[in-house]
Amino acid sequence: MKNIVLTGFMGTGKTTIGRVLAKSLGRVLIDLDAEIEKKMGMKITDIFAEMGEAAFRDMETEMARTISTLSNAVISTGGGIVLRKENIELLRTNGIVVNLTAEPDVLYARLASATDRPLLNVADPLAKIRELLQFRRPFYQNADIVIDTGDKTPIIVAEEIIQSAKLMGR
Ligand code: S3P
């Protein structure tokens, strides 16, 4: 069975929905960022601070390559994975790519108390969310299934993903 790969901006619920999906499908959940943290023995915030974003992006591609060899898994990714087309091509070789979306104000509310998002550690996080979303929109659209998470519970979103994946016959 193909992997289910969750993409989407920070705060769209990739990790939470990934957990629900993995449980209801009886699959393993692989969190790409958590795998990078394990491999490096460092938190993502420290990787950004000490090694820079470019080094982190290389780690993401390397991990996408490793993870793309799996099957039957639910894979949650970091919000910037879509920025390199190569990453999505790798993850799609054996996976259905799902993009989770939400409006900027919803994301802002969900992320308001988070301290582990280095890209949003700025004076005006809502403006940064809007700016990043606008730039990234075309990259996120490179997906097989797009689902808005705005007013839905993780269980409902997971159910929609399962139904859509079934319709795709995979
Ligand atoms: C990032 C999203 C984060 C993490 C890193 C960069 C991004 O993951 O990979 O801070 O560029 O959007 P989450 O989407 O899981 O927060």
PDB file of all heavy atoms in Angstrom, residues 73-104:
ATOM      1  N   ALA A  73       2.979   3.512   5.200  1.00  0.00           N
ATOM      2  CA  ALA A  73       3.146   4.392   6.360  1.00  0.00           C
ATOM      3  C   ALA A  73       2.315   5.670   6.178  1.00  0.00           C
ATOM      4  O   ALA A  73       1.901   6.000   5.074  1.00  0.00           O
ATOM      5  CB  ALA A  73       4.616   4.779   6.517  1.00  0.00           C
ATOM      6  N   VAL A  74       2.079   6.340   7.298  1.00  0.00           N
ATOM      7  CA  VAL A  74       1.573   7.716   7.246  1.00  0.00           C
ATOM      8  C   VAL A  74       2.789   8.595   7.531  1.00  0.00           C
ATOM      9  O   VAL A  74       3.499   8.367   8.517  1.00  0.00           O
ATOM     10  CB  VAL A  74       0.467   7.956   8.294  1.00  0.00           C
ATOM     11  CG1 VAL A  74       0.078   9.424   8.328  1.00  0.00           C
ATOM     12  CG2 VAL A  74      -0.745   7.084   8.003  1.00  0.00           C
ATOM     13  N   ILE A  75       3.048   9.553   6.656  1.00  0.00           N
ATOM     14  CA  ILE A  75       4.247  10.384   6.796  1.00  0.00           C
ATOM     15  C   ILE A  75       3.820  11.838   6.984  1.00  0.00           C
ATOM     16  O   ILE A  75       3.126  12.400   6.126  1.00  0.00           O
ATOM     17  CB  ILE A  75       5.136  10.265   5.534  1.00  0.00           C
ATOM     18  CG1 ILE A  75       5.614   8.814   5.368  1.00  0.00           C
ATOM     19  CG2 ILE A  75       6.316  11.232   5.602  1.00  0.00           C
ATOM     20  CD1 ILE A  75       6.282   8.520   4.032  1.00  0.00           C
ATOM     21  N   SER A  76       4.210  12.437   8.114  1.00  0.00           N
ATOM     22  CA  SER A  76       3.932  13.877   8.246  1.00  0.00           C
ATOM     23  C   SER A  76       5.238  14.619   7.997  1.00  0.00           C
ATOM     24  O   SER A  76       6.329  14.155   8.361  1.00  0.00           O
ATOM     25  CB  SER A  76       3.295  14.206   9.588  1.00  0.00           C
ATOM     26  OG  SER A  76       4.229  14.112  10.609  1.00  0.00           O
ATOM     27  N   THR A  77       5.132  15.751   7.315  1.00  0.00           N
ATOM     28  CA  THR A  77       6.323  16.481   6.881  1.00  0.00           C
ATOM     29  C   THR A  77       6.361  17.862   7.534  1.00  0.00           C
ATOM     30  O   THR A  77       5.376  18.295   8.123  1.00  0.00           O
ATOM     31  CB  THR A  77       6.288  16.674   5.347  1.00  0.00           C
ATOM     32  OG1 THR A  77       5.124  17.446   5.011  1.00  0.00           O
ATOM     33  CG2 THR A  77       6.236  15.344   4.615  1.00  0.00           C
ATOM     34  N   GLY A  78       7.464  18.566   7.378  1.00  0.00           N
ATOM     35  CA  GLY A  78       7.554  19.957   7.829  1.00  0.00           C
ATOM     36  C   GLY A  78       6.930  20.870   6.770  1.00  0.00           C
ATOM     37  O   GLY A  78       6.911  20.521   5.578  1.00  0.00           O
ATOM     38  N   GLY A  79       6.456  22.031   7.204  1.00  0.00           N
ATOM     39  CA  GLY A  79       5.731  22.930   6.307  1.00  0.00           C
ATOM     40  C   GLY A  79       6.482  23.376   5.061  1.00  0.00           C
ATOM     41  O   GLY A  79       5.871  23.776   4.072  1.00  0.00           O
ATOM     42  N   GLY A  80       7.818  23.305   5.096  1.00  0.00           N
ATOM     43  CA  GLY A  80       8.591  23.788   3.958  1.00  0.00           C
ATOM     44  C   GLY A  80       9.033  22.689   3.000  1.00  0.00           C
ATOM     45  O   GLY A  80       9.758  22.957   2.041  1.00  0.00           O
ATOM     46  N   ILE A  81       8.584  21.470   3.221  1.00  0.00           N
ATOM     47  CA  ILE A  81       9.055  20.340   2.397  1.00  0.00           C
ATOM     48  C   ILE A  81       8.733  20.566   0.916  1.00  0.00           C
ATOM     49  O   ILE A  81       9.460  20.114   0.033  1.00  0.00           O
ATOM     50  CB  ILE A  81       8.420  19.009   2.891  1.00  0.00           C
ATOM     51  CG1 ILE A  81       9.181  17.790   2.332  1.00  0.00           C
ATOM     52  CG2 ILE A  81       6.961  18.887   2.507  1.00  0.00           C
ATOM     53  CD1 ILE A  81      10.345  17.381   3.128  1.00  0.00           C
ATOM     54  N   VAL A  82       7.628  21.285   0.663  1.00  0.00           N
ATOM     55  CA  VAL A  82       7.164  21.487  -0.717  1.00  0.00           C
ATOM     56  C   VAL A  82       8.070  22.421  -1.519  1.00  0.00           C
ATOM     57  O   VAL A  82       7.963  22.497  -2.745  1.00  0.00           O
ATOM     58  CB  VAL A  82       5.730  22.060  -0.738  1.00  0.00           C
ATOM     59  CG1 VAL A  82       4.730  21.084  -0.174  1.00  0.00           C
ATOM     60  CG2 VAL A  82       5.669  23.389   0.024  1.00  0.00           C
ATOM     61  N   LEU A  83       8.926  23.156  -0.821  1.00  0.00           N
ATOM     62  CA  LEU A  83       9.717  24.192  -1.501  1.00  0.00           C
ATOM     63  C   LEU A  83      10.679  23.599  -2.529  1.00  0.00           C
ATOM     64  O   LEU A  83      11.043  24.264  -3.489  1.00  0.00           O
ATOM     65  CB  LEU A  83      10.483  25.025  -0.470  1.00  0.00           C
ATOM     66  CG  LEU A  83       9.583  25.852   0.448  1.00  0.00           C
ATOM     67  CD1 LEU A  83      10.396  26.463   1.575  1.00  0.00           C
ATOM     68  CD2 LEU A  83       8.855  26.936  -0.337  1.00  0.00           C
ATOM     69  N   ARG A  84      11.097  22.357  -2.300  1.00  0.00           N
ATOM     70  CA  ARG A  84      11.922  21.687  -3.314  1.00  0.00           C
ATOM     71  C   ARG A  84      11.059  20.643  -4.003  1.00  0.00           C
ATOM     72  O   ARG A  84      10.621  19.675  -3.366  1.00  0.00           O
ATOM     73  CB  ARG A  84      13.127  20.990  -2.676  1.00  0.00           C
ATOM     74  CG  ARG A  84      14.194  21.939  -2.233  1.00  0.00           C
ATOM     75  CD  ARG A  84      15.451  21.169  -1.878  1.00  0.00           C
ATOM     76  NE  ARG A  84      16.438  22.043  -1.281  1.00  0.00           N
ATOM     77  CZ  ARG A  84      17.558  21.621  -0.724  1.00  0.00           C
ATOM     78  NH1 ARG A  84      17.841  20.318  -0.692  1.00  0.00           N
ATOM     79  NH2 ARG A  84      18.406  22.472  -0.212  1.00  0.00           N
ATOM     80  N   LYS A  85      10.866  20.832  -5.302  1.00  0.00           N
ATOM     81  CA  LYS A  85      10.031  19.921  -6.077  1.00  0.00           C
ATOM     82  C   LYS A  85      10.521  18.479  -5.932  1.00  0.00           C
ATOM     83  O   LYS A  85       9.738  17.532  -5.858  1.00  0.00           O
ATOM     84  CB  LYS A  85      10.076  20.361  -7.545  1.00  0.00           C
ATOM     85  CG  LYS A  85       8.920  19.878  -8.348  1.00  0.00           C
ATOM     86  CD  LYS A  85       8.862  20.568  -9.700  1.00  0.00           C
ATOM     87  CE  LYS A  85       7.805  19.886 -10.554  1.00  0.00           C
ATOM     88  NZ  LYS A  85       8.206  19.810 -11.950  1.00  0.00           N
ATOM     89  N   GLU A  86      11.831  18.364  -5.853  1.00  0.00           N
ATOM     90  CA  GLU A  86      12.466  17.052  -5.714  1.00  0.00           C
ATOM     91  C   GLU A  86      11.918  16.282  -4.496  1.00  0.00           C
ATOM     92  O   GLU A  86      11.710  15.067  -4.562  1.00  0.00           O
ATOM     93  CB  GLU A  86      13.976  17.311  -5.543  1.00  0.00           C
ATOM     94  CG  GLU A  86      14.802  16.092  -5.298  1.00  0.00           C
ATOM     95  CD  GLU A  86      16.258  16.454  -4.925  1.00  0.00           C
ATOM     96  OE1 GLU A  86      16.597  17.652  -4.788  1.00  0.00           O
ATOM     97  OE2 GLU A  86      17.046  15.504  -4.770  1.00  0.00           O
ATOM     98  N   ASN A  87      11.670  17.013  -3.401  1.00  0.00           N
ATOM     99  CA  ASN A  87      11.168  16.347  -2.190  1.00  0.00           C
ATOM    100  C   ASN A  87       9.819  15.688  -2.453  1.00  0.00           C
ATOM    101  O   ASN A  87       9.568  14.552  -2.048  1.00  0.00           O
ATOM    102  CB  ASN A  87      10.995  17.350  -1.044  1.00  0.00           C
ATOM    103  CG  ASN A  87      12.304  17.973  -0.600  1.00  0.00           C
ATOM    104  OD1 ASN A  87      13.370  17.463  -0.927  1.00  0.00           O
ATOM    105  ND2 ASN A  87      12.214  19.072   0.128  1.00  0.00           N
ATOM    106  N   ILE A  88       8.936  16.440  -3.128  1.00  0.00           N
ATOM    107  CA  ILE A  88       7.594  15.918  -3.377  1.00  0.00           C
ATOM    108  C   ILE A  88       7.669  14.776  -4.391  1.00  0.00           C
ATOM    109  O   ILE A  88       6.985  13.760  -4.247  1.00  0.00           O
ATOM    110  CB  ILE A  88       6.650  17.050  -3.858  1.00  0.00           C
ATOM    111  CG1 ILE A  88       6.492  18.090  -2.739  1.00  0.00           C
ATOM    112  CG2 ILE A  88       5.276  16.515  -4.258  1.00  0.00           C
ATOM    113  CD1 ILE A  88       5.922  17.550  -1.418  1.00  0.00           C
ATOM    114  N   GLU A  89       8.553  14.911  -5.365  1.00  0.00           N
ATOM    115  CA  GLU A  89       8.707  13.810  -6.336  1.00  0.00           C
ATOM    116  C   GLU A  89       9.163  12.538  -5.633  1.00  0.00           C
ATOM    117  O   GLU A  89       8.669  11.454  -5.894  1.00  0.00           O
ATOM    118  CB  GLU A  89       9.691  14.212  -7.438  1.00  0.00           C
ATOM    119  CG  GLU A  89       9.012  15.088  -8.488  1.00  0.00           C
ATOM    120  CD  GLU A  89       9.983  15.773  -9.437  1.00  0.00           C
ATOM    121  OE1 GLU A  89      11.208  15.537  -9.340  1.00  0.00           O
ATOM    122  OE2 GLU A  89       9.497  16.569 -10.263  1.00  0.00           O
ATOM    123  N   LEU A  90      10.100  12.707  -4.696  1.00  0.00           N
ATOM    124  CA  LEU A  90      10.595  11.538  -3.943  1.00  0.00           C
ATOM    125  C   LEU A  90       9.456  10.897  -3.147  1.00  0.00           C
ATOM    126  O   LEU A  90       9.234   9.687  -3.209  1.00  0.00           O
ATOM    127  CB  LEU A  90      11.694  11.965  -2.959  1.00  0.00           C
ATOM    128  CG  LEU A  90      13.084  12.216  -3.545  1.00  0.00           C
ATOM    129  CD1 LEU A  90      13.956  12.940  -2.519  1.00  0.00           C
ATOM    130  CD2 LEU A  90      13.721  10.884  -3.941  1.00  0.00           C
ATOM    131  N   LEU A  91       8.723  11.743  -2.413  1.00  0.00           N
ATOM    132  CA  LEU A  91       7.678  11.214  -1.524  1.00  0.00           C
ATOM    133  C   LEU A  91       6.491  10.661  -2.313  1.00  0.00           C
ATOM    134  O   LEU A  91       5.766   9.801  -1.827  1.00  0.00           O
ATOM    135  CB  LEU A  91       7.220  12.308  -0.549  1.00  0.00           C
ATOM    136  CG  LEU A  91       8.299  12.709   0.474  1.00  0.00           C
ATOM    137  CD1 LEU A  91       7.937  14.012   1.171  1.00  0.00           C
ATOM    138  CD2 LEU A  91       8.503  11.596   1.506  1.00  0.00           C
ATOM    139  N   ARG A  92       6.320  11.148  -3.546  1.00  0.00           N
ATOM    140  CA  ARG A  92       5.204  10.676  -4.365  1.00  0.00           C
ATOM    141  C   ARG A  92       5.514   9.352  -5.069  1.00  0.00           C
ATOM    142  O   ARG A  92       4.592   8.665  -5.494  1.00  0.00           O
ATOM    143  CB  ARG A  92       4.830  11.737  -5.395  1.00  0.00           C
ATOM    144  CG  ARG A  92       3.516  11.445  -6.082  1.00  0.00           C
ATOM    145  CD  ARG A  92       3.141  12.500  -7.089  1.00  0.00           C
ATOM    146  NE  ARG A  92       2.210  13.469  -6.565  1.00  0.00           N
ATOM    147  CZ  ARG A  92       2.318  14.784  -6.753  1.00  0.00           C
ATOM    148  NH1 ARG A  92       3.344  15.273  -7.411  1.00  0.00           N
ATOM    149  NH2 ARG A  92       1.413  15.597  -6.275  1.00  0.00           N
ATOM    150  N   THR A  93       6.792   8.981  -5.150  1.00  0.00           N
ATOM    151  CA  THR A  93       7.122   7.728  -5.854  1.00  0.00           C
ATOM    152  C   THR A  93       6.344   6.566  -5.238  1.00  0.00           C
ATOM    153  O   THR A  93       5.932   5.660  -5.928  1.00  0.00           O
ATOM    154  CB  THR A  93       8.632   7.402  -5.828  1.00  0.00           C
ATOM    155  OG1 THR A  93       9.082   7.487  -4.488  1.00  0.00           O
ATOM    156  CG2 THR A  93       9.428   8.306  -6.727  1.00  0.00           C
ATOM    157  N   ASN A  94       6.160   6.609  -3.929  1.00  0.00           N
ATOM    158  CA  ASN A  94       5.392   5.537  -3.296  1.00  0.00           C
ATOM    159  C   ASN A  94       4.350   6.112  -2.344  1.00  0.00           C
ATOM    160  O   ASN A  94       4.078   5.532  -1.295  1.00  0.00           O
ATOM    161  CB  ASN A  94       6.354   4.597  -2.552  1.00  0.00           C
ATOM    162  CG  ASN A  94       5.671   3.319  -2.162  1.00  0.00           C
ATOM    163  OD1 ASN A  94       4.769   2.850  -2.851  1.00  0.00           O
ATOM    164  ND2 ASN A  94       6.066   2.759  -1.022  1.00  0.00           N
ATOM    165  N   GLY A  95       3.791   7.259  -2.715  1.00  0.00           N
ATOM    166  CA  GLY A  95       2.854   7.878  -1.771  1.00  0.00           C
ATOM    167  C   GLY A  95       1.795   8.735  -2.429  1.00  0.00           C
ATOM    168  O   GLY A  95       1.962   9.208  -3.548  1.00  0.00           O
ATOM    169  N   ILE A  96       0.699   8.899  -1.719  1.00  0.00           N
ATOM    170  CA  ILE A  96      -0.344   9.850  -2.101  1.00  0.00           C
ATOM    171  C   ILE A  96      -0.048  11.123  -1.310  1.00  0.00           C
ATOM    172  O   ILE A  96       0.081  11.062  -0.081  1.00  0.00           O
ATOM    173  CB  ILE A  96      -1.736   9.325  -1.702  1.00  0.00           C
ATOM    174  CG1 ILE A  96      -2.002   7.973  -2.359  1.00  0.00           C
ATOM    175  CG2 ILE A  96      -2.818  10.335  -2.066  1.00  0.00           C
ATOM    176  CD1 ILE A  96      -3.273   7.314  -1.848  1.00  0.00           C
ATOM    177  N   VAL A  97       0.055  12.251  -2.009  1.00  0.00           N
ATOM    178  CA  VAL A  97       0.408  13.500  -1.329  1.00  0.00           C
ATOM    179  C   VAL A  97      -0.866  14.269  -0.987  1.00  0.00           C
ATOM    180  O   VAL A  97      -1.665  14.602  -1.864  1.00  0.00           O
ATOM    181  CB  VAL A  97       1.353  14.354  -2.209  1.00  0.00           C
ATOM    182  CG1 VAL A  97       1.670  15.681  -1.516  1.00  0.00           C
ATOM    183  CG2 VAL A  97       2.634  13.582  -2.519  1.00  0.00           C
ATOM    184  N   VAL A  98      -1.045  14.536   0.303  1.00  0.00           N
ATOM    185  CA  VAL A  98      -2.224  15.253   0.790  1.00  0.00           C
ATOM    186  C   VAL A  98      -1.779  16.621   1.290  1.00  0.00           C
ATOM    187  O   VAL A  98      -0.839  16.720   2.077  1.00  0.00           O
ATOM    188  CB  VAL A  98      -2.875  14.499   1.973  1.00  0.00           C
ATOM    189  CG1 VAL A  98      -4.101  15.261   2.479  1.00  0.00           C
ATOM    190  CG2 VAL A  98      -3.237  13.077   1.584  1.00  0.00           C
ATOM    191  N   ASN A  99      -2.438  17.683   0.830  1.00  0.00           N
ATOM    192  CA  ASN A  99      -2.133  19.018   1.346  1.00  0.00           C
ATOM    193  C   ASN A  99      -3.247  19.487   2.260  1.00  0.00           C
ATOM    194  O   ASN A  99      -4.410  19.532   1.862  1.00  0.00           O
ATOM    195  CB  ASN A  99      -1.925  20.002   0.188  1.00  0.00           C
ATOM    196  CG  ASN A  99      -1.659  21.403   0.691  1.00  0.00           C
ATOM    197  OD1 ASN A  99      -2.338  22.351   0.330  1.00  0.00           O
ATOM    198  ND2 ASN A  99      -0.682  21.535   1.562  1.00  0.00           N
ATOM    199  N   LEU A 100      -2.875  19.816   3.498  1.00  0.00           N
ATOM    200  CA  LEU A 100      -3.840  20.339   4.468  1.00  0.00           C
ATOM    201  C   LEU A 100      -3.745  21.861   4.452  1.00  0.00           C
ATOM    202  O   LEU A 100      -2.634  22.416   4.455  1.00  0.00           O
ATOM    203  CB  LEU A 100      -3.511  19.805   5.864  1.00  0.00           C
ATOM    204  CG  LEU A 100      -3.498  18.278   5.988  1.00  0.00           C
ATOM    205  CD1 LEU A 100      -3.075  17.867   7.409  1.00  0.00           C
ATOM    206  CD2 LEU A 100      -4.856  17.681   5.648  1.00  0.00           C
ATOM    207  N   THR A 101      -4.904  22.533   4.431  1.00  0.00           N
ATOM    208  CA  THR A 101      -4.885  23.996   4.370  1.00  0.00           C
ATOM    209  C   THR A 101      -5.696  24.592   5.518  1.00  0.00           C
ATOM    210  O   THR A 101      -6.500  23.903   6.149  1.00  0.00           O
ATOM    211  CB  THR A 101      -5.497  24.506   3.038  1.00  0.00           C
ATOM    212  OG1 THR A 101      -6.896  24.192   3.031  1.00  0.00           O
ATOM    213  CG2 THR A 101      -4.843  23.873   1.835  1.00  0.00           C
ATOM    214  N   ALA A 102      -5.481  25.881   5.756  1.00  0.00           N
ATOM    215  CA  ALA A 102      -6.306  26.668   6.694  1.00  0.00           C
ATOM    216  C   ALA A 102      -6.013  28.133   6.426  1.00  0.00           C
ATOM    217  O   ALA A 102      -4.952  28.476   5.887  1.00  0.00           O
ATOM    218  CB  ALA A 102      -5.988  26.308   8.143  1.00  0.00           C
ATOM    219  N   GLU A 103      -6.941  28.985   6.800  1.00  0.00           N
ATOM    220  CA  GLU A 103      -6.776  30.427   6.596  1.00  0.00           C
ATOM    221  C   GLU A 103      -5.719  30.976   7.568  1.00  0.00           C
ATOM    222  O   GLU A 103      -5.546  30.433   8.662  1.00  0.00           O
ATOM    223  CB  GLU A 103      -8.108  31.150   6.843  1.00  0.00           C
ATOM    224  CG  GLU A 103      -9.193  30.825   5.828  1.00  0.00           C
ATOM    225  CD  GLU A 103      -8.769  31.183   4.401  1.00  0.00           C
ATOM    226  OE1 GLU A 103      -8.159  32.246   4.208  1.00  0.00           O
ATOM    227  OE2 GLU A 103      -9.044  30.379   3.493  1.00  0.00           O
ATOM    228  N   PRO A 104      -5.058  32.092   7.183  1.00  0.00           N
ATOM    229  CA  PRO A 104      -3.995  32.660   8.025  1.00  0.00           C
ATOM    230  C   PRO A 104      -4.413  32.922   9.474  1.00  0.00           C
ATOM    231  O   PRO A 104      -3.657  32.621  10.403  1.00  0.00           O
ATOM    232  CB  PRO A 104      -3.644  33.980   7.331  1.00  0.00           C
ATOM    233  CG  PRO A 104      -4.051  33.792   5.913  1.00  0.00           C
ATOM    234  CD  PRO A 104      -5.193  32.823   5.908  1.00  0.00           C
TER     235      PRO A 104
END
